[in-house]
């Protein structure tokens, strides 16, 4: 997951700061990433939007299971964005 984010993250060219964005998202019963949103932003909407975009673009996950049933699973993921 972190390799995917590092490879696909594009630093916004219109701003010159770095920061951490905490993105909350849900893996639904099919393994798709849904409901991605920033719950702790960096203070720069460009960084927040990029973190959400890259999380939404992640490939299918294996859905969570409880007692053999597939269930929706909520995650919080810190995304560090640095121009380097």
């Amino acid at each position: 997951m972190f390799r995917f984010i590092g490879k696909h993250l594009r630093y916004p060219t219109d701003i010159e700061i770095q920061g951490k964005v905490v993105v909350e998202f849900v893996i639904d019963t099919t393994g798709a990433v849904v409901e991605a949103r920033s719950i702790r932003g960096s203070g720069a909407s460009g960084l927040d939007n990029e973190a959400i975009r890259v999380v939404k673009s992640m490939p299918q996950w294996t859905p969570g299971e409880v007692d053999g049933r597939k269930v929706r699973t909520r995650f919080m993921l810190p995304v560090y964005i640095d121009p380097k």
Side-chain angles (χ1 to χ4, degrees):
M1 174 180 58
F2 291 111
R3 217 174 304 138
F4 176 87
I5 290 172
K7 183 177 179 181
H8 292 90
L9 195 66
R10 293 189 304 255
Y11 187 81
T13 58
D14 58 333
I15 54 177
E16 295 184 13
I17 65 169
Q18 62 187 22
K20 176 177 81 169
V21 180
V22 178
V23 179
E24 180 182 63
F25 59 98
V26 173
I27 304 301
D28 70 9
T29 57
T30 67
V33 176
V34 297
E35 299 176 25
R37 66 187 181 102
S38 168
I39 59 170
R40 199 165 313 132
S42 64
S45 65
L47 294 182
D48 298 353
N49 293 340
E50 179 58 15
I52 292 168
R53 182 198 68 79
V54 79
V55 166
K56 284 182 175 180
S57 71
M58 286 192 292
Q60 293 281 105
W61 287 49
T62 302
E65 287 190 20
V66 173
D67 295 327
R69 288 182 312 117
K70 293 181 178 173
V71 295
R72 292 169 49 96
T73 308
R74 184 171 307 276
F75 285 91
M76 286 189 289
L77 175 69
V79 178
Y80 298 93
I81 302 176
D82 189 339
K84 297 176 185 170

Coordinates of all heavy atoms in Angstrom, one line a residue:
M1 N 0.8 -1.2 0.0 CA 0.0 0.0 0.0 C 0.9 1.3 0.0 O 0.6 2.2 -0.8 CB -0.9 0.0 1.2 CG -1.7 1.2 1.4 SD -2.8 1.3 2.8 CE -1.7 1.0 4.1
F2 N 1.9 1.3 0.9 CA 2.7 2.5 0.9 C 3.6 2.6 -0.4 O 3.8 3.8 -0.8 CB 3.6 2.5 2.2 CG 2.8 2.6 3.4 CD1 2.7 1.6 4.3 CD2 2.2 3.9 3.7 CE1 2.0 1.8 5.5 CE2 1.5 4.0 4.9 CZ 1.4 3.0 5.8
R3 N 4.0 1.5 -0.9 CA 4.7 1.6 -2.2 C 3.8 2.2 -3.3 O 4.2 3.0 -4.1 CB 5.2 0.2 -2.6 CG 6.5 0.2 -3.2 CD 7.1 -1.2 -3.5 NE 7.1 -2.0 -2.3 CZ 6.8 -3.3 -2.2 NH1 6.4 -3.9 -3.3 NH2 6.8 -3.9 -1.1
F4 N 2.5 1.8 -3.3 CA 1.6 2.3 -4.3 C 1.4 3.8 -4.1 O 1.4 4.5 -5.1 CB 0.2 1.6 -4.2 CG -0.8 2.1 -5.1 CD1 -0.9 1.6 -6.4 CD2 -1.7 3.1 -4.7 CE1 -1.9 2.2 -7.2 CE2 -2.6 3.7 -5.5 CZ -2.7 3.2 -6.8
I5 N 1.2 4.2 -2.9 CA 1.0 5.6 -2.6 C 2.2 6.4 -3.0 O 2.1 7.4 -3.7 CB 0.6 5.9 -1.2 CG1 -0.8 5.3 -0.9 CG2 0.7 7.3 -0.8 CD1 -1.2 5.3 0.5
G6 N 3.4 6.0 -2.7 CA 4.7 6.7 -3.0 C 4.9 6.8 -4.5 O 5.3 7.8 -5.0
K7 N 4.5 5.7 -5.2 CA 4.6 5.7 -6.7 C 3.6 6.6 -7.4 O 3.9 7.2 -8.4 CB 4.5 4.3 -7.2 CG 4.7 4.2 -8.7 CD 4.7 2.7 -9.1 CE 4.9 2.6 -10.6 NZ 4.8 1.2 -11.0
H8 N 2.4 6.7 -6.9 CA 1.3 7.4 -7.6 C 1.1 8.8 -7.1 O 0.3 9.6 -7.7 CB 0.1 6.6 -7.6 CG 0.2 5.4 -8.4 ND1 0.6 4.2 -7.9 CD2 -0.1 5.1 -9.7 CE1 0.7 3.3 -8.8 NE2 0.2 3.8 -9.9
L9 N 1.7 9.2 -5.9 CA 1.4 10.5 -5.4 C 2.1 11.6 -6.2 O 3.3 11.5 -6.5 CB 2.0 10.6 -3.9 CG 1.6 11.7 -3.0 CD1 0.1 11.6 -2.8 CD2 2.3 11.6 -1.7
R10 N 1.4 12.6 -6.6 CA 2.0 13.7 -7.4 C 1.9 15.0 -6.5 O 0.8 15.4 -6.1 CB 1.2 13.9 -8.7 CG 1.4 12.8 -9.6 CD 0.8 13.1 -11.0 NE -0.6 13.5 -10.9 CZ -1.6 12.7 -11.3 NH1 -1.4 11.5 -11.7 NH2 -2.8 13.1 -11.2
Y11 N 3.0 15.6 -6.3 CA 3.1 16.8 -5.5 C 2.4 18.0 -6.2 O 2.8 18.2 -7.4 CB 4.5 17.2 -5.1 CG 4.6 18.3 -4.1 CD1 4.4 18.1 -2.8 CD2 4.8 19.6 -4.5 CE1 4.4 19.1 -1.8 CE2 4.9 20.6 -3.6 CZ 4.7 20.4 -2.3 OH 4.7 21.4 -1.4
P12 N 1.4 18.7 -5.7 CA 0.8 19.8 -6.4 C 1.8 20.9 -6.6 O 2.6 21.3 -5.7 CB -0.2 20.3 -5.4 CG -0.4 19.2 -4.4 CD 0.8 18.4 -4.4
T13 N 1.9 21.4 -7.9 CA 2.9 22.4 -8.2 C 2.5 23.8 -7.9 O 3.3 24.7 -7.9 CB 3.2 22.3 -9.8 OG1 1.9 22.5 -10.4 CG2 3.7 21.0 -10.2
D14 N 1.3 24.0 -7.5 CA 0.8 25.4 -7.2 C 1.1 25.8 -5.8 O 0.8 26.9 -5.4 CB -0.7 25.5 -7.5 CG -1.6 24.5 -6.7 OD1 -1.0 23.4 -6.4 OD2 -2.7 24.8 -6.5
I15 N 1.6 24.9 -4.9 CA 1.9 25.2 -3.5 C 3.3 24.8 -3.2 O 3.9 23.9 -3.9 CB 0.9 24.6 -2.6 CG1 0.9 23.1 -2.8 CG2 -0.4 25.2 -2.7 CD1 0.0 22.3 -1.8
E16 N 3.9 25.4 -2.2 CA 5.3 25.1 -1.8 C 5.4 24.7 -0.4 O 6.3 25.2 0.4 CB 6.2 26.2 -2.1 CG 6.3 26.5 -3.6 CD 7.2 27.7 -3.9 OE1 8.0 28.0 -3.1 OE2 7.2 28.1 -5.1
I17 N 4.5 23.8 0.1 CA 4.6 23.3 1.5 C 4.6 21.8 1.5 O 4.3 21.2 0.5 CB 3.5 23.9 2.4 CG1 2.1 23.4 1.9 CG2 3.5 25.4 2.4 CD1 1.0 23.7 2.9
Q18 N 4.9 21.2 2.6 CA 4.7 19.8 2.8 C 3.8 19.6 4.0 O 3.5 20.5 4.7 CB 6.1 19.2 3.1 CG 6.7 19.7 4.4 CD 8.1 19.2 4.5 OE1 8.8 18.8 3.6 NE2 8.6 19.2 5.8
G19 N 3.3 18.4 4.1 CA 2.4 18.1 5.3 C 1.9 16.7 5.3 O 2.2 15.9 4.5
K20 N 1.1 16.5 6.4 CA 0.5 15.2 6.6 C -1.0 15.3 6.5 O -1.5 16.3 7.1 CB 0.9 14.6 8.0 CG 0.2 13.3 8.3 CD 0.7 12.7 9.6 CE 0.0 13.4 10.7 NZ 0.2 12.8 12.0
V21 N -1.6 14.4 5.8 CA -3.1 14.4 5.7 C -3.5 13.1 6.2 O -3.0 12.0 5.7 CB -3.5 14.6 4.2 CG1 -5.0 14.6 4.1 CG2 -3.0 15.9 3.6
V22 N -4.5 13.0 7.1 CA -5.0 11.8 7.5 C -6.3 11.5 6.7 O -7.2 12.3 6.8 CB -5.3 11.7 9.0 CG1 -5.9 10.4 9.4 CG2 -4.0 12.0 9.8
V23 N -6.3 10.5 6.0 CA -7.5 10.1 5.1 C -8.2 9.0 5.7 O -7.6 7.9 6.1 CB -7.0 9.8 3.7 CG1 -8.2 9.4 2.8 CG2 -6.2 10.9 3.1
E24 N -9.5 9.1 5.9 CA -10.4 8.0 6.4 C -11.1 7.5 5.1 O -11.6 8.2 4.3 CB -11.4 8.5 7.4 CG -12.3 7.5 7.9 CD -13.3 8.0 8.9 OE1 -14.1 8.9 8.5 OE2 -13.2 7.6 10.1
F25 N -11.2 6.1 5.1 CA -11.9 5.5 3.9 C -12.4 4.2 4.4 O -12.1 3.7 5.4 CB -11.0 5.4 2.7 CG -9.7 4.5 3.0 CD1 -9.7 3.2 2.6 CD2 -8.6 5.1 3.5 CE1 -8.6 2.4 2.8 CE2 -7.5 4.3 3.7 CZ -7.5 3.0 3.4
V26 N -13.3 3.7 3.5 CA -14.0 2.4 3.8 C -13.7 1.4 2.7 O -13.7 1.8 1.5 CB -15.5 2.6 3.9 CG1 -16.2 1.3 4.1 CG2 -15.9 3.5 5.1
I27 N -13.4 0.2 3.1 CA -13.3 -0.9 2.1 C -14.6 -1.6 2.2 O -15.0 -2.2 3.2 CB -12.1 -1.9 2.4 CG1 -10.8 -1.2 2.6 CG2 -12.1 -3.0 1.4 CD1 -10.4 -0.4 1.3
D28 N -15.4 -1.6 1.1 CA -16.7 -2.2 1.1 C -16.6 -3.7 0.9 O -15.5 -4.3 0.8 CB -17.6 -1.5 0.1 CG -17.3 -1.8 -1.4 OD1 -16.5 -2.7 -1.7 OD2 -18.0 -1.2 -2.2
T29 N -17.8 -4.4 0.8 CA -17.8 -5.8 0.8 C -17.2 -6.4 -0.5 O -17.0 -7.6 -0.6 CB -19.2 -6.4 1.0 OG1 -20.1 -5.8 0.0 CG2 -19.7 -6.0 2.4
T30 N -17.1 -5.5 -1.6 CA -16.5 -6.0 -2.8 C -15.0 -5.7 -2.9 O -14.3 -6.2 -3.8 CB -17.1 -5.3 -4.0 OG1 -16.8 -3.9 -4.0 CG2 -18.6 -5.5 -4.0
G31 N -14.4 -5.0 -1.9 CA -13.0 -4.7 -1.8 C -12.7 -3.3 -2.4 O -11.5 -2.9 -2.5
A32 N -13.7 -2.6 -2.8 CA -13.5 -1.2 -3.4 C -13.3 -0.2 -2.3 O -13.8 -0.3 -1.2 CB -14.7 -0.8 -4.2
V33 N -12.4 0.8 -2.6 CA -12.2 1.9 -1.7 C -13.4 2.9 -1.9 O -13.6 3.4 -3.0 CB -10.9 2.6 -2.0 CG1 -10.7 3.8 -1.1 CG2 -9.7 1.6 -1.7
V34 N -14.1 3.2 -0.8 CA -15.2 4.2 -1.0 C -15.2 5.1 0.2 O -14.5 4.9 1.2 CB -16.6 3.4 -1.0 CG1 -16.7 2.5 -2.2 CG2 -16.8 2.6 0.3
E35 N -15.9 6.2 0.1 CA -16.1 7.2 1.2 C -14.8 7.8 1.7 O -14.6 8.0 2.9 CB -16.9 6.6 2.3 CG -18.3 6.2 1.9 CD -19.0 5.5 3.1 OE1 -18.7 5.8 4.3 OE2 -19.9 4.7 2.8
A36 N -13.8 8.0 0.8 CA -12.5 8.6 1.2 C -12.7 10.1 1.5 O -13.3 10.8 0.7 CB -11.5 8.4 0.1
R37 N -12.2 10.5 2.6 CA -12.2 11.9 3.0 C -11.1 12.3 4.0 O -10.6 11.4 4.6 CB -13.6 12.3 3.7 CG -13.8 11.6 5.0 CD -15.2 11.8 5.5 NE -15.3 11.1 6.8 CZ -15.3 11.8 8.0 NH1 -15.2 13.1 8.0 NH2 -15.4 11.1 9.1
S38 N -10.8 13.5 4.0 CA -9.7 14.0 4.9 C -10.3 14.3 6.2 O -11.3 15.0 6.3 CB -9.1 15.3 4.3 OG -8.3 15.9 5.3
I39 N -9.8 13.7 7.3 CA -10.3 13.9 8.6 C -9.3 14.8 9.4 O -9.7 15.4 10.4 CB -10.6 12.7 9.4 CG1 -9.3 11.8 9.6 CG2 -11.7 11.9 8.8 CD1 -9.5 10.6 10.5
R40 N -8.1 15.0 8.9 CA -7.1 15.9 9.5 C -6.2 16.4 8.4 O -5.3 15.7 7.9 CB -6.3 15.2 10.6 CG -5.6 16.1 11.5 CD -5.1 15.5 12.8 NE -6.0 14.6 13.4 CZ -5.8 13.3 13.8 NH1 -4.6 12.8 13.6 NH2 -6.7 12.6 14.3
G41 N -6.6 17.6 7.9 CA -5.9 18.1 6.8 C -4.6 18.8 7.1 O -4.2 19.0 8.2
S42 N -3.9 19.2 6.0 CA -2.6 19.8 6.1 C -2.7 21.3 6.2 O -1.7 22.0 6.5 CB -1.7 19.4 4.9 OG -2.4 20.0 3.8
G43 N -3.9 21.8 5.9 CA -4.0 23.3 5.9 C -3.9 23.8 4.5 O -4.2 25.0 4.2
A44 N -3.6 23.0 3.5 CA -3.5 23.3 2.1 C -4.4 22.4 1.3 O -4.2 21.2 1.3 CB -2.1 23.2 1.6
S45 N -5.5 22.9 0.7 CA -6.4 22.0 0.1 C -5.8 21.2 -1.1 O -6.3 20.1 -1.3 CB -7.6 22.9 -0.5 OG -7.2 23.8 -1.5
G46 N -4.8 21.7 -1.7 CA -4.1 21.0 -2.8 C -3.5 19.7 -2.2 O -3.6 18.6 -2.9
L47 N -2.9 19.7 -1.1 CA -2.3 18.5 -0.5 C -3.4 17.6 -0.1 O -3.3 16.3 -0.3 CB -1.4 18.8 0.8 CG -0.2 19.6 0.5 CD1 0.6 19.8 1.8 CD2 0.7 19.0 -0.5
D48 N -4.5 18.1 0.6 CA -5.6 17.3 1.0 C -6.2 16.6 -0.2 O -6.5 15.3 -0.2 CB -6.6 18.1 1.7 CG -6.1 18.8 3.0 OD1 -5.0 18.5 3.4 OD2 -6.8 19.6 3.6
N49 N -6.5 17.3 -1.3 CA -7.1 16.7 -2.5 C -6.2 15.6 -3.1 O -6.8 14.6 -3.6 CB -7.4 17.8 -3.5 CG -8.5 18.7 -3.0 OD1 -9.3 18.4 -2.1 ND2 -8.5 19.9 -3.6
E50 N -4.9 15.8 -3.1 CA -4.0 14.8 -3.7 C -4.0 13.6 -2.9 O -4.0 12.5 -3.4 CB -2.6 15.4 -3.9 CG -1.6 14.4 -4.4 CD -2.0 13.9 -5.8 OE1 -2.9 14.4 -6.5 OE2 -1.3 12.9 -6.2
A51 N -4.0 13.7 -1.6 CA -4.0 12.5 -0.7 C -5.3 11.7 -0.9 O -5.3 10.5 -1.0 CB -3.9 12.9 0.8
I52 N -6.4 12.4 -1.0 CA -7.7 11.7 -1.3 C -7.7 11.1 -2.6 O -8.1 9.9 -2.8 CB -8.9 12.7 -1.1 CG1 -9.0 13.1 0.4 CG2 -10.2 12.1 -1.6 CD1 -9.9 14.3 0.6
R53 N -7.2 11.8 -3.6 CA -7.2 11.2 -5.0 C -6.4 9.9 -5.0 O -6.8 8.9 -5.6 CB -6.5 12.2 -6.0 CG -6.5 11.7 -7.4 CD -5.5 12.5 -8.3 NE -4.2 12.2 -7.9 CZ -3.5 11.1 -8.3 NH1 -4.0 10.1 -9.0 NH2 -2.2 11.0 -7.9
V54 N -5.2 9.9 -4.4 CA -4.3 8.7 -4.5 C -4.9 7.5 -3.7 O -4.9 6.4 -4.1 CB -2.9 9.0 -4.1 CG1 -2.7 9.1 -2.6 CG2 -1.9 8.0 -4.7
V55 N -5.6 7.8 -2.6 CA -6.3 6.8 -1.8 C -7.4 6.2 -2.7 O -7.6 5.0 -2.7 CB -6.7 7.3 -0.5 CG1 -7.7 6.3 0.2 CG2 -5.6 7.5 0.4
K56 N -8.2 7.0 -3.3 CA -9.3 6.6 -4.1 C -8.8 5.7 -5.3 O -9.6 4.9 -5.8 CB -10.1 7.7 -4.7 CG -11.0 8.4 -3.7 CD -11.8 9.5 -4.3 CE -12.8 10.1 -3.4 NZ -13.6 11.2 -4.1
S57 N -7.6 6.0 -5.8 CA -7.1 5.2 -6.9 C -6.5 3.9 -6.6 O -6.0 3.2 -7.5 CB -6.1 6.1 -7.7 OG -4.9 6.3 -7.0
M58 N -6.4 3.5 -5.3 CA -5.8 2.3 -4.9 C -6.5 1.1 -5.5 O -7.8 1.2 -5.7 CB -5.8 2.1 -3.4 CG -4.7 3.0 -2.7 SD -4.5 2.6 -1.0 CE -6.0 3.0 -0.2
P59 N -5.8 0.0 -5.9 CA -6.5 -1.2 -6.4 C -7.4 -1.8 -5.4 O -7.3 -1.5 -4.2 CB -5.3 -2.1 -6.8 CG -4.2 -1.6 -6.0 CD -4.4 -0.1 -5.7
Q60 N -8.2 -2.8 -5.8 CA -9.1 -3.5 -5.0 C -8.4 -4.1 -3.8 O -7.2 -4.6 -3.9 CB -9.8 -4.7 -5.7 CG -10.7 -4.2 -6.8 CD -12.1 -3.8 -6.3 OE1 -12.3 -2.6 -6.3 NE2 -12.9 -4.8 -5.9
W61 N -9.0 -4.1 -2.6 CA -8.5 -4.8 -1.4 C -9.2 -6.1 -1.2 O -10.2 -6.3 -1.9 CB -8.8 -3.9 -0.2 CG -8.0 -2.7 -0.1 CD1 -7.7 -1.7 -1.0 CD2 -7.3 -2.2 1.1 NE1 -6.9 -0.7 -0.5 CE2 -6.7 -1.0 0.8 CE3 -7.2 -2.7 2.4 CZ2 -6.0 -0.3 1.7 CZ3 -6.5 -2.0 3.3 CH2 -5.9 -0.8 3.0
T62 N -8.7 -6.9 -0.3 CA -9.5 -8.0 0.1 C -10.4 -7.6 1.2 O -9.9 -7.0 2.2 CB -8.5 -9.1 0.7 OG1 -7.6 -9.5 -0.4 CG2 -9.3 -10.4 1.1
P63 N -11.7 -7.7 1.1 CA -12.6 -7.2 2.1 C -12.4 -7.9 3.5 O -12.0 -9.1 3.5 CB -14.0 -7.5 1.5 CG -13.8 -8.4 0.4 CD -12.4 -8.4 0.0
G64 N -12.8 -7.2 4.5 CA -12.8 -7.8 5.9 C -13.8 -8.9 6.0 O -14.8 -8.9 5.3
E65 N -13.6 -9.8 6.9 CA -14.6 -10.8 7.2 C -14.9 -11.0 8.7 O -13.9 -10.9 9.5 CB -14.1 -12.2 6.7 CG -14.1 -12.3 5.2 CD -13.9 -13.7 4.7 OE1 -14.0 -14.7 5.5 OE2 -13.5 -13.9 3.5
V66 N -16.1 -11.2 9.0 CA -16.5 -11.5 10.4 C -17.4 -12.8 10.3 O -18.4 -12.7 9.6 CB -17.2 -10.4 11.0 CG1 -17.8 -10.8 12.4 CG2 -16.3 -9.1 11.2
D67 N -17.0 -13.8 11.0 CA -17.8 -15.1 11.0 C -18.1 -15.6 9.6 O -19.2 -16.0 9.3 CB -19.1 -14.9 11.7 CG -18.9 -14.6 13.2 OD1 -17.9 -15.2 13.8 OD2 -19.7 -13.9 13.8
G68 N -17.1 -15.4 8.7 CA -17.2 -15.9 7.3 C -18.0 -15.0 6.4 O -18.2 -15.2 5.2
R69 N -18.5 -13.8 6.9 CA -19.3 -12.9 6.1 C -18.4 -11.7 5.7 O -17.6 -11.2 6.6 CB -20.5 -12.3 6.8 CG -21.6 -13.2 7.0 CD -22.8 -12.6 7.8 NE -22.4 -11.8 8.9 CZ -22.5 -10.5 9.1 NH1 -23.0 -9.8 8.2 NH2 -22.1 -9.9 10.2
K70 N -18.4 -11.2 4.5 CA -17.7 -10.0 4.1 C -18.3 -8.8 4.7 O -19.6 -8.7 4.7 CB -17.6 -9.9 2.6 CG -16.8 -11.0 2.0 CD -16.7 -10.9 0.6 CE -15.8 -12.1 0.1 NZ -15.7 -12.2 -1.3
V71 N -17.5 -7.9 5.3 CA -18.0 -6.7 6.0 C -17.3 -5.5 5.5 O -16.2 -5.6 5.0 CB -17.9 -6.8 7.5 CG1 -18.8 -7.9 8.0 CG2 -16.5 -7.0 7.9
R72 N -17.9 -4.3 5.7 CA -17.3 -3.0 5.4 C -16.3 -2.8 6.5 O -16.5 -3.0 7.7 CB -18.3 -1.9 5.3 CG -19.2 -2.0 4.1 CD -20.4 -1.1 4.2 NE -20.1 0.3 4.6 CZ -20.0 1.3 3.7 NH1 -20.1 1.0 2.4 NH2 -19.7 2.5 4.1
T73 N -15.1 -2.2 6.1 CA -14.0 -2.0 7.1 C -13.5 -0.5 6.9 O -13.2 -0.1 5.8 CB -12.9 -3.0 6.9 OG1 -13.4 -4.3 6.9 CG2 -11.8 -2.8 8.0
R74 N -13.5 0.2 8.0 CA -13.0 1.6 8.0 C -11.6 1.7 8.4 O -11.1 1.0 9.3 CB -13.9 2.4 9.0 CG -13.6 3.9 9.0 CD -14.6 4.7 9.8 NE -16.0 4.4 9.4 CZ -16.6 5.0 8.4 NH1 -16.0 5.9 7.7 NH2 -17.9 4.7 8.2
F75 N -10.8 2.5 7.6 CA -9.4 2.7 7.9 C -9.1 4.2 8.0 O -9.8 5.0 7.4 CB -8.6 2.2 6.7 CG -8.4 0.7 6.6 CD1 -9.3 0.0 5.9 CD2 -7.4 0.1 7.3 CE1 -9.2 -1.4 5.8 CE2 -7.3 -1.3 7.2 CZ -8.2 -2.0 6.5
M76 N -8.0 4.5 8.8 CA -7.5 5.8 8.8 C -6.0 5.7 8.4 O -5.3 4.9 8.9 CB -7.6 6.5 10.2 CG -9.0 6.9 10.5 SD -9.1 7.8 12.0 CE -8.8 6.6 13.2
L77 N -5.6 6.5 7.4 CA -4.3 6.4 6.9 C -3.6 7.7 6.8 O -4.1 8.7 6.2 CB -4.4 5.8 5.4 CG -3.1 5.7 4.6 CD1 -2.2 4.6 5.2 CD2 -3.4 5.3 3.2
P78 N -2.4 7.9 7.5 CA -1.7 9.1 7.3 C -0.9 9.1 6.0 O -0.3 8.1 5.7 CB -0.7 9.1 8.5 CG -0.5 7.7 8.8 CD -1.8 7.0 8.4
V79 N -1.0 10.2 5.2 CA -0.3 10.3 4.0 C 0.6 11.5 4.1 O 0.1 12.7 4.3 CB -1.3 10.5 2.8 CG1 -0.6 10.7 1.5 CG2 -2.3 9.3 2.7
Y80 N 1.9 11.3 4.0 CA 2.9 12.4 4.1 C 3.2 12.9 2.7 O 3.6 12.1 1.8 CB 4.1 11.9 4.8 CG 3.9 11.4 6.2 CD1 3.6 10.1 6.5 CD2 3.9 12.3 7.2 CE1 3.3 9.7 7.8 CE2 3.6 11.9 8.5 CZ 3.3 10.6 8.8 OH 3.0 10.2 10.1
I81 N 3.1 14.2 2.5 CA 3.3 14.7 1.1 C 4.5 15.7 1.3 O 4.4 16.7 2.0 CB 2.1 15.4 0.6 CG1 0.9 14.4 0.5 CG2 2.4 16.0 -0.8 CD1 -0.4 15.0 0.1
D82 N 5.6 15.4 0.5 CA 6.8 16.2 0.6 C 7.3 16.4 -0.9 O 7.3 15.4 -1.6 CB 7.8 15.4 1.4 CG 9.0 16.2 1.7 OD1 9.3 17.2 1.0 OD2 9.7 15.9 2.6
P83 N 7.7 17.6 -1.2 CA 8.1 17.9 -2.6 C 9.4 17.1 -3.0 O 9.7 17.1 -4.2 CB 8.3 19.4 -2.7 CG 8.6 19.8 -1.3 CD 7.8 18.8 -0.4
K84 N 10.1 16.5 -2.1 CA 11.4 15.9 -2.4 C 11.2 14.6 -3.1 O 10.4 13.8 -3.0 CB 12.2 15.7 -1.2 CG 12.6 17.1 -0.6 CD 13.3 16.9 0.7 CE 13.5 18.3 1.4 NZ 13.9 18.2 2.7

